[in-house]
Amino acid sequence: MGMPVKLSDELVTLARAEAAAANRSTSAQVEHWARVGRAAERLLQHADTLALKGELPLAEAFPEPGNRAAVVAALEGIARSSDREAARERAARGRRPVYGSDPRFPGLVVRIDPDGTRIPGRFDNP
């Protein structure tokens, strides 16, 4: 069951703009961000989360050598980049399909393969 929640005007404005681009409702966009954030929190240490929120410099959040340096470099690149296409290309190199919506296929889920192929469909209950 849904529950009313107070959100800042700034967050609602950002969610509304992003929702329009992603063909979602504002509520669905906020829920999407919440699910992504929840998943990220499970994988990150507290300092990592603070760094992503801009509350702690990345160098302090990731002091250990090794793989963390690569993560820091990737996160800094993403944080500096306003180019969504570059982010899509980086995600595509992960070799996994992603699922989303496409205004050309209303009401359907779209599978987006790493090569950019879009396959509309729907989930059926077995």
Side-chain angles (χ1 to χ4, degrees):
M1 179 172 150
M3 178 177 153
V5 177
K6 289 185 180 183
L7 302 172
S8 70
D9 290 340
E10 179 185 7
L11 180 63
V12 171
T13 300
L14 292 170
R16 190 172 285 134
E18 192 69 26
N23 197 32
R24 294 184 179 113
S25 69
T26 303
S27 297
Q29 183 63 44
V30 171
E31 288 180 12
H32 169 72
W33 282 343
R35 281 193 293 283
V36 170
R38 184 172 180 227
E41 274 193 335
R42 288 180 180 165
L43 300 173
L44 300 172
Q45 296 175 3
H46 181 66
D48 304 344
T49 304
L50 292 175
L52 289 173
K53 289 172 37 180
E55 296 174 10
L56 183 68
L58 287 174
E60 289 181 39
F62 300 102
E64 300 170 18
N67 287 341
R68 286 196 174 252
V71 172
V72 170
L75 289 173
E76 286 176 334
I78 292 168
R80 282 192 304 270
S81 174
S82 61
D83 180 8
R84 288 178 176 254
E85 191 55 41
R88 283 188 191 98
E89 288 173 12
R90 282 192 299 274
R93 285 194 296 263
R95 295 289 187 204
R96 292 184 181 179
V98 295
Y99 296 85
S101 60
D102 189 319
R104 295 176 295 172
F105 307 107
L108 297 177
V109 174
V110 178
R111 175 184 167 149
I112 306 166
D113 289 330
D115 66 358
T117 304
R118 293 176 175 260
I119 303 168
R122 71 179 83 237
F123 293 108
D124 290 328
N125 290 332

